[in-house]
């Protein structure tokens, strides 16, 4: 019997927020040299959200 993850709704909310953030960031920085023009901040923020999602999934 599989138990239900109690943090699933929060993970889905964070995933939706992350998807919207990535789409908006891509629209703003759509250039050939995307990595160099956007800086390091967005990549750290995306990594932080992914780490929180993984932590909540494992904890749940």
């Amino acid at each position: 019997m599989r138990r239900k993850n109690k943090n699933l709704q929060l993970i889905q909310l964070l995933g939706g927020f992350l998807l919207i953030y990535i789409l908006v960031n891509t629209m703003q920085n759509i250039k050939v040299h995307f990595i160099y023009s956007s800086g390091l901040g967005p990549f750290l923020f995306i990594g932080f959200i992914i780490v929180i999602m993984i932590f909540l999934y494992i904890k749940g």
Side-chain angles (χ1 to χ4, degrees):
M1 186 171 185
R2 189 174 168 163
R3 68 179 191 158
K4 183 152 173 95
N5 192 338
K6 56 187 174 180
N7 293 324
L8 189 61
Q9 291 174 342
L10 183 58
I11 293 170
Q12 289 174 342
L13 179 70
L14 286 171
F17 176 71
L18 181 63
L19 184 64
I20 292 170
Y21 179 77
I22 290 172
L23 288 174
V24 169
N25 193 18
T26 302
M27 295 275 192
Q28 288 177 348
N29 297 306
I30 197 95
K31 294 181 184 175
V32 175
H33 52 280
F34 168 74
I35 296 173
Y36 302 111
S37 66
S38 65
L40 194 58
F43 296 107
L44 293 176
F45 185 72
I46 290 169
F48 180 69
I49 295 294
I50 291 173
V51 167
I52 290 175
M53 289 170 60
I54 292 171
F55 176 74
L56 287 173
Y57 183 77
I58 292 172
K59 184 181 173 192

